[in-house]
Amino acid sequence: MFPVLIAVVVWLAAWWLNVRIAGSAWRDSRAGRLAVPVIFGITVLVVWECLVLGLRVSPVILPAPTAIAARFAVSTEVLWGDFVQTALKGAVSGYVIGCGAAFLVSLAIDRSPFLQRGLLPIGNFVAALPIVGTAPILVNWFGFDWQSKAAVVVVMVFFPMLVNTVQGFADTTAMQRDLMRTYSANYWQTLLKLRLPAAMPFIFNGLKISTTLALIGAIVAEYFGSPTRGMGFRISTEVGVLGLDMVWAEITVAAIAGSSFYGAVALMERGATFWHPSQRS
């Protein structure tokens, strides 16, 4: 039970340290904002390791972080191949196609009230369909390689991106639109100089939501058919042979990829919408 005692002590010490940081003068600094999640993450790993060792938890139920790290270190080639297959080929390609198509359709909807009244309700209906129901159909249509995973991602990201973009185009006041008309601005001039900049926070909100949906969709789609590589394929096969350390290694890769993807889009948002109140320090 000594490791369990260490886990309790580490948790209490980290709690006390984070409380002190939150109440200090440098809590709003970059170092202060970074220190709290880093301390919390390290604490979770240490407590996890100590509880698994102290309670003698079977690796089939929950492997220790050190066992996961060891498996990660010896499986980097396999993990990289799965990452390329799922994230780069399936998720990123579907993300680009789906978000790009949603932006173009949003322009058409903005020009046509008929499409706005007819397409958006259908979009809400399709977005509510469960991925476990649509993924097998798309896999049968597009085959077992990355193209079917990209198709699943397109379906998942299209309508969240569409709804956010349409809402963003409508986020201008009547006074602003009247001002553009007094300058004799046509539709495209008003779109580029007024409505598109005003819609950028909504557009990036849709892009950020779609980053997580893209990776989830690509992984889930691989459960219904995949070549002998990919994160979803590896997770499903390793669960079947009780290789939980490899499953957690794949989960780690997915978490890192998803966080990096989201962070990259957030950095682009900061550069493109620096004028928006949400980006001001």
Side-chain angles (χ1 to χ4, degrees), residues 209-235:
I209 293 172
S210 299
T211 56
T212 55
L213 293 176
L215 193 58
I216 293 172
I219 292 175
V220 171
E222 289 179 344
Y223 277 77
F224 301 97
S226 175
T228 57
R229 59 188 181 276
M231 294 183 189
F233 167 81
R234 196 73 55 195
I235 290 172

Side-chain angles (χ1 to χ4, degrees), residues 83-201:
F83 168 78
V84 171
Q85 176 70 20
T86 303
L88 297 185
K89 291 184 178 180
V92 173
S93 59
Y95 177 86
V96 172
I97 296 171
C99 292
F103 182 81
L104 296 178
V105 173
S106 67
L107 292 176
I109 290 176
D110 185 66
R111 293 283 286 175
S112 172
F114 169 76
L115 289 178
Q116 186 171 5
R117 291 191 296 266
L119 185 59
L120 287 182
I122 297 176
N124 294 329
F125 172 78
V126 174
L129 295 177
I131 185 60
V132 294
T134 57
I137 298 173
L138 294 173
V139 169
N140 287 333
W141 285 358
F142 295 97
F144 293 106
D145 210 343
W146 64 268
Q147 291 88 348
S148 59
K149 286 64 184 176
V152 173
V153 173
V154 168
V155 173
M156 290 193 67
V157 306
F158 181 84
F159 290 104
M161 182 65 186
L162 178 67
V163 171
N164 277 277
T165 306
V166 170
Q167 182 63 36
F169 285 149
D171 191 51
T172 53
T173 64
M175 184 176 295
Q176 291 171 331
R177 294 190 294 270
D178 289 341
L179 179 62
M180 295 300 293
R181 280 194 289 268
T182 61
Y183 292 148
S184 299
N186 58 31
Y187 172 81
W188 293 107
Q189 290 172 329
T190 303
L191 177 68
L192 294 177
K193 296 182 181 297
L194 172 64
R195 303 178 67 208
L196 184 59
M200 291 304 289

Side-chain angles (χ1 to χ4, degrees), residues 19-32:
V19 169
R20 292 295 300 270
I21 293 174
S24 64
W26 57 287
R27 63 184 180 183
D28 294 328
S29 64
R30 180 175 298 179

